[in-house]
Amino acid sequence: MEPNIYQSLSICPLFQGIDMAEIEVILQDVSFKLVRYDKKDIYTLTGMPCKYADIVIKGELTTRMVSMSGKTVEVSRLNKGDIIAPAFIFAKDRTMPVSVETECETFILRFQPSEFETLIDHDIRLRRNFIQILSNIDVFLTKKMRVLSLFTVREKVAYFLTDTAKKQGSRTILLDKSRQEIAESFGIQKFSLLRCFSELVEQGAIEVNGKQITIIDEKKF
């Protein structure tokens, strides 16, 4: 069953402040198509060009960076409403630095870059929102690079736990990723993550019950 395009776009940062009825009117001036991917389909590989301006309408994609040694680091996950690689749509060098794979059946709303340019040029709200999206990407990547390059394994785990607790609004957090996926997101080995969790449990910093982790004493991180 195909998803509701306008409902999905209503939560897209590009259309922030614009209701579904108006989104439908705005899209009448440009051409686009709905593209479907199966679970574990390859959306793009590292080194391939960014050809389109795509927005996730339904599903989830994972972006990963692979080193020369084969080490994999999960960069981010893209869900309903997210624009795929917005910083590369109009870049001079549009070579993708990451590989992107679907995690489940996924629908993408696809624009040619020229059509996407027409879209944001004809509405000042879309242009302003797009600039904010690019700015937020810069902030995200700066934080991500700091964590990956400067933090120890323990500091990475502490950052992950406190950041997740903040996002979920609770000191008891529910993990939505496997241990392997969490390790990949920080560029560390799974056994290093598990060892760190065990040390934090032994020191009374956290309690672990399957995918549920409770922060007991943040000072012991």
Side-chain angles (χ1 to χ4, degrees):
M1 180 178 178
E2 292 189 355
N4 185 318
I5 292 175
Y6 306 110
Q7 189 278 329
S8 298
L9 291 181
S10 68
I11 65 171
C12 174
L14 182 67
F15 293 92
Q16 182 179 344
I18 305 174
D19 61 35
M20 283 192 285
E22 192 171 2
I23 291 173
E24 187 171 359
V25 173
I26 291 172
L27 290 185
Q28 289 177 356
D29 295 329
V30 293
S31 298
F32 58 85
K33 65 179 180 179
L34 192 64
V35 181
R36 178 185 172 277
Y37 289 86
D38 286 323
K39 180 179 180 179
K40 295 302 178 182
D41 271 353
I42 300 299
Y43 171 84
T44 191
L45 294 172
T46 301
M48 294 179 66
C50 175
K51 296 181 178 180
Y52 311 105
D54 286 348
I55 302 176
V56 183
I57 297 301
K58 179 183 178 182
E60 182 179 40
L61 302 96
T62 300
T63 67
R64 295 185 177 91
M65 190 172 288
V66 183
S67 69
M68 294 294 290
S69 64
K71 184 178 181 180
T72 300
V73 177
E74 180 181 310
V75 179
S76 65
R77 292 204 172 198
L78 303 170
N79 296 283
K80 182 168 71 173
D82 288 333
I83 302 176
I84 302 175
F88 289 84
I89 296 172
F90 302 117
K92 184 176 181 180
D93 181 0
R94 297 166 66 185
T95 304
M96 292 289 285
V98 295
S99 294
V100 185
E101 180 183 58
T102 61
E103 294 295 327
C104 57
E105 181 186 41
T106 300
F107 288 86
I108 303 294
L109 192 67
R110 173 159 293 169
F111 300 86
Q112 292 293 332
S114 59
E115 292 294 313
F116 190 76
E117 183 176 10
T118 298
L119 183 70
I120 60 177
D121 275 351
H122 286 186
D123 193 304
I124 191 172
R125 295 169 298 177
L126 298 183
R127 185 160 61 249
R128 182 180 62 245
N129 288 342
F130 188 64
I131 291 172
Q132 187 174 60
I133 290 169
L134 297 180
S135 299
N136 289 339
I137 288 172
D138 188 49
V139 172
F140 166 78
L141 290 177
T142 299
K143 289 182 178 179
K144 186 79 173 182
M145 290 306 299
R146 178 171 175 266
V147 172
L148 290 176
S149 61
L150 300 179
F151 282 22
T152 64
V153 171
R154 190 182 181 99
E155 288 172 334
K156 289 176 180 179
V157 172
Y159 171 83
F160 168 73
L161 292 174
T162 53
D163 185 58
T164 304
K166 182 179 178 181
K167 290 177 180 177
Q168 295 187 8
S170 172
R171 294 178 68 83
T172 297
I173 62 178
L174 184 64
L175 303 180
D176 60 356
K177 302 178 183 178
S178 68
R179 266 56 167 180
Q180 181 64 45
E181 290 170 332
I182 294 171
E184 288 181 359
S185 71
F186 288 106
I188 61 178
Q189 296 296 321
K190 181 181 176 181
F191 77 85
S192 297
L193 174 71
L194 296 178
R195 183 176 59 191
C196 188
F197 275 168
S198 296
E199 290 174 353
L200 291 172
V201 170
E202 290 174 4
Q203 294 163 13
I206 63 173
E207 287 183 355
V208 178
N209 182 17
K211 288 197 171 186
Q212 183 174 288
I213 297 179
T214 301
I215 298 175
I216 303 301
D217 189 348
E218 204 170 306
K219 294 179 181 179
K220 293 183 179 180
F221 284 168

